[in-house]
Amino acid sequence: MSSHETNRARVVPLRPAAAPAPGGPVPAPGQAPREPLWRDVVGAVLRRERLAQDRTLKDVADAARISVPYLSELERGRKEASSEILAATAHALGFGLADLLALSHRELVRPARSTTARFGRTVGAARQGDVRLAA
């Protein structure tokens, strides 16, 4: 290799680009919309529920028996939590793991409400057996 050649390294991002916000830019025709990452959805639900209860990171982390930095990373979608950690955090917020899954499910189907699935039914439409949480 000569000294005149440019040595360029290829940069591979560790985290994929964020999905567009609901109501944001629509993908180009023929381009599939990016699905959000599970850790981002669960983290957003945990943060929303904690803030709705007007609780601090420390309060919830102590109740869940996890560290404050770890809970912060969960809420920001930086960590993939085990089911045990998710259950402990959900219980610290006053609901169960199934409730956390139901709330996350709602977040996942919200952007796809108008999308029609391959079999002709609307994705995210209410079905018998859907979980309803008390307000």
Side-chain angles (χ1 to χ4, degrees), residues 21-106:
V26 177
Q31 183 181 15
R34 293 183 67 116
E35 290 193 60
L37 296 176
W38 174 249
R39 66 179 184 242
D40 291 330
V41 174
V42 170
V45 168
L46 291 173
R47 175 167 282 172
R48 185 183 68 234
E49 294 300 316
R50 178 180 60 80
L51 293 174
Q53 295 177 19
D54 200 27
R55 294 175 66 187
T56 64
L57 279 168
K58 181 169 180 15
D59 178 37
V60 175
D62 287 348
R65 301 182 64 130
I66 60 176
S67 72
V68 173
Y70 189 74
L71 177 57
S72 176
E73 288 185 327
L74 286 179
E75 287 187 354
R76 290 181 292 133
R78 304 285 181 171
K79 293 287 183 188
E80 293 276 358
S82 68
S83 57
E84 292 87 357
I85 295 293
L86 291 176
T89 307
H91 285 116
L93 289 166
F95 53 89
L97 184 58
D99 299 322
L100 177 60
L101 296 175
L103 290 168
S104 299
H105 173 261
R106 288 182 187 167

Side-chain angles (χ1 to χ4, degrees), residues 91-128:
H91 285 116
L93 289 166
F95 53 89
L97 184 58
D99 299 322
L100 177 60
L101 296 175
L103 290 168
S104 299
H105 173 261
R106 288 182 187 167
E107 291 297 315
L108 285 170
V109 298
R110 184 172 295 158
R113 292 234 183 250
S114 62
T115 304
T116 303
R118 192 180 321 173
F119 299 106
R121 71 173 176 82
T122 301
V123 175
R127 293 178 297 276
Q128 184 177 0

